[in-house]
Amino acid sequence: MTLEIRIAASTDAEAACTVLRRSIKECCELDHQHDPTILDAWLGNKTPQMVANWFSSPTNFSLVAVSEGTVVGVALLTGAGKLALCYLLPEAQGKGAGKALLKRMEEQACEWGVKALQLHSTATGRQFFAQRGYTDAGRVRSPYGVETVFFWKQLDEDATCPNAPKRKRFCNCNTV
């Protein structure tokens, strides 16, 4: 599988919307349990126009993963350091696209000077983020009725941000 990670364009909105909708419906069954009320609420804002708006917002950084000409993944980082989207087509899972999207999002957060990245993961995505150094900080119910896992990861002390300025100490004491 050839893979390209690139900045999302408004022309990617329809394909990215398909990724979001299929990923939620087909991969997140553990989370929505086929409950039509939850699915309707979760998918309600996953329209091509809304995705295009997210992509064009100057406070967001959006990426798509493209394999053999097809958008197979989408990720979105807010200027506040929240990973708001990180979704893959079902057939793209386990092939490196998610890791590549997340790595690039962490790099962007570092470029922006974000010290810690945060996200709300589904139960389906929990292991993916935990395996990449994210700390589970508890459960939070989403507005659409799914219990999510609040994750965060310190970036400025991580190899992800090798050029980040080191934290200042509070005192001039010697540390050994």
Side-chain angles (χ1 to χ4, degrees), residues 20 57 92 109 119 121 129:
L20 294 170
S57 172
L119 62 101
S121 173
F129 293 106

Side-chain angles (χ1 to χ4, degrees), residues 27-88:
C27 301
C28 298
E29 293 170 326
L30 175 65
D31 302 283
H32 60 67
Q33 300 177 9
H34 301 285
D35 182 325
T37 303
I38 290 173
L39 273 169
D40 287 347
W42 198 350
L43 297 172
N45 66 348
K46 309 306 186 289
T47 65
Q49 183 58 50
M50 185 61 76
V51 173
N53 290 343
W54 294 337
F55 287 175
S56 65
S57 172
T59 61
N60 292 338
F61 180 75
S62 306
L63 297 172
V64 290
V66 181
S67 176
E68 299 173 21
T70 300
V71 174
V72 299
V74 61
L76 184 143
L77 176 67
T78 71
K82 179 179 181 183
L83 185 65
L85 301 174
C86 191
Y87 289 88
L88 301 174

Side-chain angles (χ1 to χ4, degrees), residues 15-27:
C17 185
T18 297
V19 169
L20 294 170
R21 296 182 71 83
R22 282 196 58 208
S23 183
I24 291 166
K25 285 180 183 177
E26 298 173 41
C27 301

Side-chain angles (χ1 to χ4, degrees), residues 2-168:
T2 61
L3 185 66
E4 174 192 8
I5 304 298
R6 65 170 170 77
I7 293 175
S10 59
T11 54
D12 295 316
E14 190 167 333
C17 185
T18 297
V19 169
L20 294 170
R21 296 182 71 83
R22 282 196 58 208
S23 183
I24 291 166
K25 285 180 183 177
E26 298 173 41
C27 301
C28 298
E29 293 170 326
L30 175 65
D31 302 283
H32 60 67
Q33 300 177 9
H34 301 285
D35 182 325
T37 303
I38 290 173
L39 273 169
D40 287 347
W42 198 350
L43 297 172
N45 66 348
K46 309 306 186 289
T47 65
Q49 183 58 50
M50 185 61 76
V51 173
N53 290 343
W54 294 337
F55 287 175
S56 65
S57 172
T59 61
N60 292 338
F61 180 75
S62 306
L63 297 172
V64 290
V66 181
S67 176
E68 299 173 21
T70 300
V71 174
V72 299
V74 61
L76 184 143
L77 176 67
T78 71
K82 179 179 181 183
L83 185 65
L85 301 174
C86 191
Y87 289 88
L88 301 174
L89 287 177
E91 57 271 23
Q93 290 190 349
K95 298 180 179 176
K99 290 177 193 173
L101 284 168
L102 186 60
K103 180 178 184 289
R104 182 62 188 98
M105 285 298 179
E106 290 176 353
E107 291 168 355
Q108 183 61 43
C110 290
E111 289 175 25
W112 282 348
V114 171
K115 303 291 186 206
L117 202 56
Q118 59 181 315
L119 62 101
H120 290 91
S121 173
T122 60
T124 304
R126 184 175 186 265
Q127 185 175 3
F128 174 81
F129 293 106
Q131 289 175 337
R132 278 144 197 87
Y134 284 78
T135 300
D136 180 336
R139 308 296 180 268
V140 178
R141 182 145 315 265
S142 73
Y144 44 87
V146 171
E147 186 171 280
T148 65
V149 181
F150 178 71
F151 274 112
W152 66 276
K153 182 177 182 181
Q154 192 74 34
L155 296 177
D156 59 339
E157 295 176 354
D158 188 78
T160 308
C161 296
N163 298 324
K166 300 298 176 206
R167 291 179 180 219
K168 293 181 181 178

